[in-house]
Amino acid sequence: MARPRTITDDALLSIARACFLEHGPSVSTTAIAQAVGLSQAALFKRFGSKQELMLQALLPPPEPAWLSLLVAGPDARPIIEQLMEIGIAAGRFFEKMTPAMMTLKASGIDFAQVFCRYETPPPARALQLLTAWFQAAMDEGRIRQINPLNVAMSFMGAIHGRNFLQHVAGNWMQFPPLEQAVETHCDVLCLGLLPEEKTP
């Protein structure tokens, strides 16, 4: 009879993720095995290789939780209120994923090959849903007609860019809290998106 697993895959991947983020992609599988309380052989039996372990530990899920805010389209609340909710949720996700993706990049992994394991890569999925969300708001006459893909890229780029800059320059620059940064961006964006008759 096989011995029961003493640690779930999810728990193991969480510990492995912490090891990769703290020590970089060069951290040894011996160190990871010790951290999770398994032998190196048991670690390889579960994941096959160090690269596969790193990918499963650091890659985003196929459908990040914040995308659920986009699927149904805009609701009856003010657009700026909804955008702030979306922006903060996206920002928290990017805060987690930016160091993970930079660690993967440092390992030399080719993202073009890695994203083939998804039906739709998470960044593309996010952009598709955000574009559709803005298009729906335009169709309802709640924001002016403007290229929804460009608006989606502007919105997502501002949120993601803040997290990237904070990650690489956080020791030299003082960044505002996420909520404050999102509020400012949404305020500026929404003033530009108002239908023309509502523009001050």
Side-chain angles (χ1 to χ4, degrees):
M1 179 181 295
R3 293 176 60 189
R5 294 186 175 187
T6 56
I7 182 171
T8 65
D9 283 352
D10 285 345
L12 190 156
L13 289 171
S14 179
I15 295 170
R17 184 179 193 278
C19 290
F20 283 120
L21 293 181
E22 181 178 358
H23 303 290
S26 63
V27 64
S28 70
T29 51
T30 301
I32 296 173
Q34 290 175 346
V36 300
L38 293 175
S39 68
Q40 192 176 28
L43 197 64
F44 282 123
K45 185 174 182 180
R46 289 209 202 181
F47 296 97
S49 67
K50 178 182 177 180
Q51 177 169 296
E52 183 60 27
L53 172 64
M54 183 164 54
L55 289 172
Q56 290 196 37
L58 297 178
L59 280 175
E63 190 83 356
W66 72 274
L67 297 187
S68 65
L69 298 172
L70 304 174
V71 174
D75 58 37
R77 292 175 297 158
I79 289 293
I80 190 169
E81 180 181 331
Q82 297 179 66
L83 283 177
M84 284 184 59
E85 180 182 40
I86 293 166
I88 290 170
R92 288 175 179 154
F93 173 74
F94 291 141
E95 283 178 342
K96 178 181 177 182
M97 288 310 307
T98 298
M101 299 304 285
M102 292 186 73
T103 299
L104 284 173
K105 185 68 174 177
S107 75
I109 283 177
D110 182 352
F111 285 128
Q113 292 182 344
V114 168
F115 281 145
C116 289
R117 63 174 59 203
Y118 297 94
E119 182 176 347
T120 303
R125 173 72 172 154
L127 196 57
Q128 289 172 355
L129 288 175
L130 195 55
T131 300
W133 193 95
F134 280 114
Q135 181 64 67
M138 292 174 197
D139 293 343
E140 294 171 6
R142 301 180 67 186
I143 61 177
R144 67 187 178 90
Q145 293 292 327
I146 191 171
N147 188 300
L149 174 60
N150 289 340
V151 177
M153 287 192 296
S154 173
F155 182 79
M156 196 160 71
I159 307 300
H160 184 272
R162 172 198 173 272
N163 286 286
F164 176 80
L165 288 173
Q166 187 174 37
H167 181 73
V168 299
N171 292 332
W172 296 276
M173 295 179 64
Q174 184 67 39
F175 287 84
L178 173 64
E179 291 79 2
Q180 187 181 105
V182 170
E183 182 178 13
T184 299
H185 178 62
C186 288
D187 184 59
V188 172
L189 181 65
C190 284
L191 285 175
L193 287 175
L194 285 174
E196 289 185 8
E197 65 272 15
K198 295 182 180 179
T199 303

PDB file of all heavy atoms in Angstrom, residues 59-65 67 93 117-126 129:
ATOM      1  N   LEU A  59       3.568  30.265 -12.248  1.00  0.00           N
ATOM      2  CA  LEU A  59       2.681  30.736 -13.318  1.00  0.00           C
ATOM      3  C   LEU A  59       1.310  31.111 -12.768  1.00  0.00           C
ATOM      4  O   LEU A  59       0.845  30.548 -11.775  1.00  0.00           O
ATOM      5  CB  LEU A  59       2.522  29.661 -14.389  1.00  0.00           C
ATOM      6  CG  LEU A  59       3.655  29.544 -15.411  1.00  0.00           C
ATOM      7  CD1 LEU A  59       3.393  28.353 -16.336  1.00  0.00           C
ATOM      8  CD2 LEU A  59       3.798  30.819 -16.239  1.00  0.00           C
ATOM      9  N   PRO A  60       0.637  32.059 -13.426  1.00  0.00           N
ATOM     10  CA  PRO A  60      -0.721  32.428 -12.983  1.00  0.00           C
ATOM     11  C   PRO A  60      -1.715  31.324 -13.309  1.00  0.00           C
ATOM     12  O   PRO A  60      -1.477  30.507 -14.216  1.00  0.00           O
ATOM     13  CB  PRO A  60      -1.022  33.693 -13.800  1.00  0.00           C
ATOM     14  CG  PRO A  60      -0.168  33.564 -15.025  1.00  0.00           C
ATOM     15  CD  PRO A  60       1.088  32.878 -14.572  1.00  0.00           C
ATOM     16  N   PRO A  61      -2.844  31.278 -12.592  1.00  0.00           N
ATOM     17  CA  PRO A  61      -3.890  30.306 -12.925  1.00  0.00           C
ATOM     18  C   PRO A  61      -4.525  30.663 -14.259  1.00  0.00           C
ATOM     19  O   PRO A  61      -4.431  31.815 -14.715  1.00  0.00           O
ATOM     20  CB  PRO A  61      -4.881  30.461 -11.767  1.00  0.00           C
ATOM     21  CG  PRO A  61      -4.681  31.863 -11.292  1.00  0.00           C
ATOM     22  CD  PRO A  61      -3.210  32.148 -11.470  1.00  0.00           C
ATOM     23  N   PRO A  62      -5.171  29.706 -14.916  1.00  0.00           N
ATOM     24  CA  PRO A  62      -5.794  29.995 -16.213  1.00  0.00           C
ATOM     25  C   PRO A  62      -6.837  31.109 -16.146  1.00  0.00           C
ATOM     26  O   PRO A  62      -6.989  31.877 -17.089  1.00  0.00           O
ATOM     27  CB  PRO A  62      -6.444  28.652 -16.599  1.00  0.00           C
ATOM     28  CG  PRO A  62      -5.691  27.621 -15.830  1.00  0.00           C
ATOM     29  CD  PRO A  62      -5.290  28.284 -14.550  1.00  0.00           C
ATOM     30  N   GLU A  63      -7.559  31.203 -15.019  1.00  0.00           N
ATOM     31  CA  GLU A  63      -8.600  32.217 -14.872  1.00  0.00           C
ATOM     32  C   GLU A  63      -8.428  32.914 -13.528  1.00  0.00           C
ATOM     33  O   GLU A  63      -9.056  32.546 -12.524  1.00  0.00           O
ATOM     34  CB  GLU A  63      -9.984  31.557 -14.958  1.00  0.00           C
ATOM     35  CG  GLU A  63     -11.139  32.522 -15.060  1.00  0.00           C
ATOM     36  CD  GLU A  63     -11.404  33.030 -16.471  1.00  0.00           C
ATOM     37  OE1 GLU A  63     -10.646  32.701 -17.397  1.00  0.00           O
ATOM     38  OE2 GLU A  63     -12.392  33.764 -16.643  1.00  0.00           O
ATOM     39  N   PRO A  64      -7.552  33.927 -13.459  1.00  0.00           N
ATOM     40  CA  PRO A  64      -7.361  34.641 -12.191  1.00  0.00           C
ATOM     41  C   PRO A  64      -8.682  35.143 -11.618  1.00  0.00           C
ATOM     42  O   PRO A  64      -9.592  35.536 -12.361  1.00  0.00           O
ATOM     43  CB  PRO A  64      -6.452  35.811 -12.593  1.00  0.00           C
ATOM     44  CG  PRO A  64      -5.710  35.305 -13.795  1.00  0.00           C
ATOM     45  CD  PRO A  64      -6.691  34.451 -14.538  1.00  0.00           C
ATOM     46  N   ALA A  65      -8.793  35.146 -10.300  1.00  0.00           N
ATOM     47  CA  ALA A  65     -10.061  35.450  -9.634  1.00  0.00           C
ATOM     48  C   ALA A  65     -10.613  36.828  -9.998  1.00  0.00           C
ATOM     49  O   ALA A  65     -11.840  37.008 -10.092  1.00  0.00           O
ATOM     50  CB  ALA A  65      -9.896  35.323  -8.123  1.00  0.00           C
ATOM     51  N   LEU A  67     -10.802  38.317 -12.696  1.00  0.00           N
ATOM     52  CA  LEU A  67     -11.505  38.369 -13.977  1.00  0.00           C
ATOM     53  C   LEU A  67     -13.002  38.148 -13.817  1.00  0.00           C
ATOM     54  O   LEU A  67     -13.787  38.524 -14.695  1.00  0.00           O
ATOM     55  CB  LEU A  67     -10.928  37.326 -14.947  1.00  0.00           C
ATOM     56  CG  LEU A  67      -9.454  37.504 -15.342  1.00  0.00           C
ATOM     57  CD1 LEU A  67      -9.070  36.508 -16.416  1.00  0.00           C
ATOM     58  CD2 LEU A  67      -9.178  38.933 -15.808  1.00  0.00           C
ATOM     59  N   PHE A  93      -3.577  41.273  -7.571  1.00  0.00           N
ATOM     60  CA  PHE A  93      -3.115  40.108  -8.324  1.00  0.00           C
ATOM     61  C   PHE A  93      -1.733  40.376  -8.919  1.00  0.00           C
ATOM     62  O   PHE A  93      -0.827  39.540  -8.830  1.00  0.00           O
ATOM     63  CB  PHE A  93      -4.113  39.780  -9.433  1.00  0.00           C
ATOM     64  CG  PHE A  93      -3.650  38.686 -10.370  1.00  0.00           C
ATOM     65  CD1 PHE A  93      -3.653  37.363  -9.971  1.00  0.00           C
ATOM     66  CD2 PHE A  93      -3.208  39.002 -11.649  1.00  0.00           C
ATOM     67  CE1 PHE A  93      -3.225  36.355 -10.828  1.00  0.00           C
ATOM     68  CE2 PHE A  93      -2.783  38.008 -12.515  1.00  0.00           C
ATOM     69  CZ  PHE A  93      -2.790  36.681 -12.106  1.00  0.00           C
ATOM     70  N   ARG A 117       0.610  26.228 -22.857  1.00  0.00           N
ATOM     71  CA  ARG A 117      -0.111  25.290 -21.996  1.00  0.00           C
ATOM     72  C   ARG A 117      -1.493  25.802 -21.618  1.00  0.00           C
ATOM     73  O   ARG A 117      -2.281  25.075 -21.027  1.00  0.00           O
ATOM     74  CB  ARG A 117       0.698  24.951 -20.742  1.00  0.00           C
ATOM     75  CG  ARG A 117       0.995  26.106 -19.812  1.00  0.00           C
ATOM     76  CD  ARG A 117       1.686  25.632 -18.524  1.00  0.00           C
ATOM     77  NE  ARG A 117       2.932  24.945 -18.793  1.00  0.00           N
ATOM     78  CZ  ARG A 117       3.508  24.065 -17.968  1.00  0.00           C
ATOM     79  NH1 ARG A 117       2.956  23.792 -16.802  1.00  0.00           N
ATOM     80  NH2 ARG A 117       4.633  23.482 -18.291  1.00  0.00           N
ATOM     81  N   TYR A 118      -1.783  27.062 -21.925  1.00  0.00           N
ATOM     82  CA  TYR A 118      -3.103  27.628 -21.666  1.00  0.00           C
ATOM     83  C   TYR A 118      -3.930  27.632 -22.947  1.00  0.00           C
ATOM     84  O   TYR A 118      -3.387  27.823 -24.040  1.00  0.00           O
ATOM     85  CB  TYR A 118      -2.988  29.076 -21.193  1.00  0.00           C
ATOM     86  CG  TYR A 118      -2.261  29.289 -19.888  1.00  0.00           C
ATOM     87  CD1 TYR A 118      -0.896  29.582 -19.867  1.00  0.00           C
ATOM     88  CD2 TYR A 118      -2.947  29.230 -18.680  1.00  0.00           C
ATOM     89  CE1 TYR A 118      -0.233  29.809 -18.667  1.00  0.00           C
ATOM     90  CE2 TYR A 118      -2.297  29.459 -17.475  1.00  0.00           C
ATOM     91  CZ  TYR A 118      -0.945  29.741 -17.478  1.00  0.00           C
ATOM     92  OH  TYR A 118      -0.291  29.971 -16.285  1.00  0.00           O
ATOM     93  N   GLU A 119      -5.241  27.471 -22.793  1.00  0.00           N
ATOM     94  CA  GLU A 119      -6.117  27.646 -23.956  1.00  0.00           C
ATOM     95  C   GLU A 119      -6.027  29.089 -24.447  1.00  0.00           C
ATOM     96  O   GLU A 119      -5.912  29.358 -25.648  1.00  0.00           O
ATOM     97  CB  GLU A 119      -7.557  27.298 -23.585  1.00  0.00           C
ATOM     98  CG  GLU A 119      -8.519  27.406 -24.745  1.00  0.00           C
ATOM     99  CD  GLU A 119      -9.928  26.970 -24.387  1.00  0.00           C
ATOM    100  OE1 GLU A 119     -10.111  26.356 -23.318  1.00  0.00           O
ATOM    101  OE2 GLU A 119     -10.847  27.243 -25.188  1.00  0.00           O
ATOM    102  N   THR A 120      -6.093  30.032 -23.513  1.00  0.00           N
ATOM    103  CA  THR A 120      -5.829  31.442 -23.785  1.00  0.00           C
ATOM    104  C   THR A 120      -4.920  31.946 -22.682  1.00  0.00           C
ATOM    105  O   THR A 120      -5.275  31.831 -21.504  1.00  0.00           O
ATOM    106  CB  THR A 120      -7.127  32.283 -23.782  1.00  0.00           C
ATOM    107  OG1 THR A 120      -8.039  31.754 -24.738  1.00  0.00           O
ATOM    108  CG2 THR A 120      -6.826  33.739 -24.128  1.00  0.00           C
ATOM    109  N   PRO A 121      -3.734  32.472 -23.002  1.00  0.00           N
ATOM    110  CA  PRO A 121      -2.834  32.954 -21.949  1.00  0.00           C
ATOM    111  C   PRO A 121      -3.539  33.974 -21.053  1.00  0.00           C
ATOM    112  O   PRO A 121      -4.309  34.814 -21.549  1.00  0.00           O
ATOM    113  CB  PRO A 121      -1.690  33.599 -22.741  1.00  0.00           C
ATOM    114  CG  PRO A 121      -1.707  32.902 -24.063  1.00  0.00           C
ATOM    115  CD  PRO A 121      -3.156  32.627 -24.345  1.00  0.00           C
ATOM    116  N   PRO A 122      -3.311  33.914 -19.738  1.00  0.00           N
ATOM    117  CA  PRO A 122      -4.002  34.827 -18.817  1.00  0.00           C
ATOM    118  C   PRO A 122      -3.921  36.307 -19.195  1.00  0.00           C
ATOM    119  O   PRO A 122      -4.935  37.013 -19.089  1.00  0.00           O
ATOM    120  CB  PRO A 122      -3.330  34.536 -17.470  1.00  0.00           C
ATOM    121  CG  PRO A 122      -2.943  33.098 -17.571  1.00  0.00           C
ATOM    122  CD  PRO A 122      -2.510  32.917 -19.002  1.00  0.00           C
ATOM    123  N   PRO A 123      -2.765  36.840 -19.653  1.00  0.00           N
ATOM    124  CA  PRO A 123      -2.757  38.259 -20.030  1.00  0.00           C
ATOM    125  C   PRO A 123      -3.709  38.564 -21.180  1.00  0.00           C
ATOM    126  O   PRO A 123      -4.393  39.595 -21.178  1.00  0.00           O
ATOM    127  CB  PRO A 123      -1.296  38.516 -20.427  1.00  0.00           C
ATOM    128  CG  PRO A 123      -0.514  37.449 -19.720  1.00  0.00           C
ATOM    129  CD  PRO A 123      -1.404  36.249 -19.725  1.00  0.00           C
ATOM    130  N   ALA A 124      -3.770  37.649 -22.168  1.00  0.00           N
ATOM    131  CA  ALA A 124      -4.674  37.840 -23.298  1.00  0.00           C
ATOM    132  C   ALA A 124      -6.125  37.716 -22.862  1.00  0.00           C
ATOM    133  O   ALA A 124      -6.996  38.480 -23.298  1.00  0.00           O
ATOM    134  CB  ALA A 124      -4.364  36.831 -24.396  1.00  0.00           C
ATOM    135  N   ARG A 125      -6.396  36.767 -21.989  1.00  0.00           N
ATOM    136  CA  ARG A 125      -7.755  36.580 -21.463  1.00  0.00           C
ATOM    137  C   ARG A 125      -8.211  37.831 -20.717  1.00  0.00           C
ATOM    138  O   ARG A 125      -9.336  38.296 -20.889  1.00  0.00           O
ATOM    139  CB  ARG A 125      -7.766  35.360 -20.533  1.00  0.00           C
ATOM    140  CG  ARG A 125      -9.064  35.120 -19.780  1.00  0.00           C
ATOM    141  CD  ARG A 125     -10.157  34.635 -20.666  1.00  0.00           C
ATOM    142  NE  ARG A 125     -11.323  34.238 -19.874  1.00  0.00           N
ATOM    143  CZ  ARG A 125     -12.565  34.242 -20.317  1.00  0.00           C
ATOM    144  NH1 ARG A 125     -12.821  34.613 -21.562  1.00  0.00           N
ATOM    145  NH2 ARG A 125     -13.561  33.849 -19.545  1.00  0.00           N
ATOM    146  N   ALA A 126      -7.332  38.387 -19.890  1.00  0.00           N
ATOM    147  CA  ALA A 126      -7.673  39.596 -19.142  1.00  0.00           C
ATOM    148  C   ALA A 126      -7.974  40.753 -20.089  1.00  0.00           C
ATOM    149  O   ALA A 126      -8.949  41.491 -19.900  1.00  0.00           O
ATOM    150  CB  ALA A 126      -6.536  39.963 -18.193  1.00  0.00           C
ATOM    151  N   LEU A 129     -11.418  40.256 -21.843  1.00  0.00           N
ATOM    152  CA  LEU A 129     -12.567  40.521 -20.980  1.00  0.00           C
ATOM    153  C   LEU A 129     -12.686  42.003 -20.632  1.00  0.00           C
ATOM    154  O   LEU A 129     -13.799  42.552 -20.568  1.00  0.00           O
ATOM    155  CB  LEU A 129     -12.459  39.696 -19.695  1.00  0.00           C
ATOM    156  CG  LEU A 129     -12.703  38.195 -19.836  1.00  0.00           C
ATOM    157  CD1 LEU A 129     -12.444  37.480 -18.515  1.00  0.00           C
ATOM    158  CD2 LEU A 129     -14.134  37.920 -20.314  1.00  0.00           C
TER     159      LEU A 129
END
